[in-house]
Amino acid sequence: MPAISDPLPAPRLGEPYLLTPGPLTTAYSTKEAMLRDWGSWDADFRAMTKSLCDQLVALAGGSGGDFVCVPMQGSGSFSVEAMLGTFVPRDGKVLVLANGAYGLRAAETMRYLGRAYTLIDKGDYMPPRGDEVGAALDADPAITHVIAIHCETSSGILNPVAEISEAVYARGRKLLIDSMSAFGAIDLDVNRIRYEAMVSSANKCIEGVPGFGFVVARRTELEGCKGNCHSLALDLHAQWAYMEKTGQWRYTPPTHVVAAFLEALRLHAQEGGVPARGARYIRNRDVMVEGMRGLGFETLLKDRWLSPIIVTFFCPADPNFVFSRFYELMKDRGFIIYPGKLTVVDSFRVGCIGRMDEHVMRKVVEAAKEALAVMGVTSAAPPEAAIAERAKLAA
Ligand SMILES: *Cc1c(COP(=O)(O)O)cnc(C)c1O
């Protein structure tokens, strides 16, 4: 366990902490980096784009030009759609592994693309396991690709992508990963976990501001994707080919967001890269979860599946607990929390990512304690139905 470090500087006076999975709390210097304008064609900005791509490839463990990074304008979902539309051939078929909103969104994307797919839907939070992925692939030789969600942000579960990857490549199929909310904090080194492409965005664990996503992909795989894409603007092969030739983004880049992202990457490296970023988030989670459990709250997931990204808590059974009131009381104390996304029981989520540390997490717990007192909630214990729901989570 790392030693307790000095507190990170707080956001500016009056600015709440965002305990959300992005947009999230960013460093002051990251915001400050946006205080100038850049010409998108200028050599300075082209150098910024190249540096951004080189650093992201390095974070994914790519070396010797075997992997490339293609940034794409828009929120993360634009890049997921770009990845699926570009890497899956029109006559391909995708196995979508879903256990929450983002997996289902990937399936919805396939439906929009009009390309063949099949879905393993595990419900709100059960993890898709390697053996069932293997069985699904054995049963359907038409499947060419599998899409897995690394951290399913809707419940906060950390899915077992390593065992999924093994199952996929043991059967000669290809893996695409939505590592949107995990990349930069949780290892996704392609030398350890095999995949063809992964997607993430500026405003998650690298702690940039929203405005673009990026795909890190095996070069030979991307080279073979010309003409696959259904969309002009989202064609990653075309974006990459144009960037290779000119050093520029094909269409207007989010220049200020790129500048902020480079500063965020500088802070990421300064902190110690992926292991150190992950360690801070783990510490954030552990301090926060321990404190919340001390107040009587219970987590949806058992410790084994808890990601250091975001944690789902059951709403207390006490009739005095009203989530909208709890939210406002937390906000009054400087913390923006996140509503739950479960279909069966009431829940809320607390994010562990962003420019904050364990000192902040202790204050979060303190604020939750005060909020319960103000509402007159005597016990934060969840209802029986929630416990029954959780009992379904094996192992
Ligand atoms: C944030 C996120 C996305 C993208 O969401 P946007 O709102 O489009 O940025 C996709 N997948 C996961 C797992 C995410 O956490």
Side-chain angles (χ1 to χ4, degrees), residues 233-389:
L234 294 178
D235 188 338
L236 283 174
H237 183 278
Q239 175 93 320
W240 172 66
Y242 187 82
M243 260 185 193
E244 287 267 291
K245 205 165 74 188
T246 66
Q248 296 172 35
W249 301 48
R250 244 179 345 152
Y251 309 132
T252 304
T255 44
H256 300 76
V257 178
V258 168
F261 192 73
L262 284 171
E263 172 60 12
L265 277 171
R266 192 187 68 76
L267 294 172
H268 185 269
Q270 188 184 59
E271 186 172 356
V274 176
R277 180 63 51 97
R280 173 159 62 84
Y281 291 169
I282 286 171
R283 189 77 190 132
N284 283 353
R285 176 198 63 195
D286 290 348
V287 166
M288 189 266 294
V289 167
E290 192 191 319
M292 294 292 279
R293 282 178 177 158
L295 300 178
F297 285 103
E298 292 198 28
T299 58
L300 162 74
L301 300 172
K302 293 180 180 170
D303 289 0
R304 174 179 174 192
W305 300 108
L306 277 186
S307 71
I309 307 301
I310 189 164
V311 177
T312 298
F313 292 95
F314 293 125
C315 287
D318 190 319
N320 285 338
F321 184 91
V322 178
F323 176 73
S324 56
R325 187 85 207 291
F326 184 63
Y327 179 92
E328 290 303 328
L329 289 166
M330 292 297 286
K331 185 176 172 186
D332 290 346
R333 285 158 180 76
F335 301 109
I336 302 278
I337 60 171
Y338 216 52
K341 235 182 191 176
L342 303 181
T343 49
V344 183
V345 289
D346 289 335
S347 61
F348 65 92
R349 291 175 288 172
V350 181
C352 310
I353 63 177
R355 192 76 179 160
M356 56 201 183
D357 55 20
E358 63 186 280
H359 303 277
V360 174
M361 292 323 226
R362 285 204 186 84
K363 292 189 185 132
V364 172
V365 174
E366 201 53 41
K369 186 179 178 184
E370 288 172 19
L372 292 181
V374 173
M375 288 190 291
V377 174
T378 49
S379 162
E384 289 298 320
I387 302 299
E389 172 74 3

Side-chain angles (χ1 to χ4, degrees), residues 52 69-83 86 199-202 211-215 229 231-240 243 249-251 254:
L52 176 154
C69 169
V70 192
M72 178 57 74
Q73 298 93 328
S75 88
S77 300
F78 292 63
S79 285
V80 175
E81 186 165 332
M83 177 176 77
T86 303
V199 58
S200 184
S201 74
F212 71 90
F214 51 87
V215 172
C229 197
S231 159
L232 171 69
L234 294 178
D235 188 338
L236 283 174
H237 183 278
Q239 175 93 320
W240 172 66
M243 260 185 193
W249 301 48
R250 244 179 345 152
Y251 309 132

Side-chain angles (χ1 to χ4, degrees), residues 21-22 74-80 102-103 105 149-154 178-182 199 201 203-204 309:
S75 88
S77 300
F78 292 63
S79 285
V80 175
Y102 292 103
R105 190 180 296 174
I149 313 295
H150 194 181
C151 171
E152 176 46 78
T153 323
S154 49
D178 171 353
S179 186
M180 202 69 64
S181 63
V199 58
S201 74
N203 58 278
K204 304 252 173 160
I309 307 301

Side-chain angles (χ1 to χ4, degrees), residues 9-163:
R12 287 203 288 183
L13 209 61
E15 211 185 297
Y17 281 99
L18 301 180
L19 300 165
T20 58
L24 38 61
T25 296
T26 58
Y28 186 78
S29 64
T30 297
K31 294 184 260 279
E32 203 175 38
M34 293 186 284
L35 289 176
R36 64 158 284 187
D37 304 315
W38 306 86
S40 62
W41 32 260
D42 185 74
D44 291 346
F45 187 72
R46 279 183 278 147
M48 287 160 67
T49 297
K50 180 169 189 321
S51 167
L52 176 154
C53 291
D54 290 349
Q55 290 183 66
L56 290 173
V57 167
L59 281 185
S63 58
D66 53 349
F67 274 72
V68 295
C69 169
V70 192
M72 178 57 74
Q73 298 93 328
S75 88
S77 300
F78 292 63
S79 285
V80 175
E81 186 165 332
M83 177 176 77
L84 291 170
T86 303
F87 284 87
V88 180
R90 297 192 184 209
D91 59 357
K93 181 172 183 180
V94 176
L95 171 61
V96 179
L97 307 179
N99 55 341
Y102 292 103
L104 293 177
R105 190 180 296 174
E108 178 76 346
T109 306
M110 292 309 299
R111 198 176 67 75
Y112 266 78
L113 297 185
R115 292 187 204 174
Y117 73 96
T118 177
L119 176 67
I120 294 183
D121 183 359
K122 302 287 293 184
D124 274 345
Y125 53 84
M126 297 286 278
R129 302 304 301 259
D131 51 2
E132 62 194 314
V133 172
L137 294 177
D138 289 338
D140 188 350
I143 295 170
T144 53
H145 293 72
V146 176
I147 170 105
I149 313 295
H150 194 181
C151 171
E152 176 46 78
T153 323
S154 49
S155 65
I157 192 169
L158 195 55
N159 283 322
V161 287
E163 78 180 34

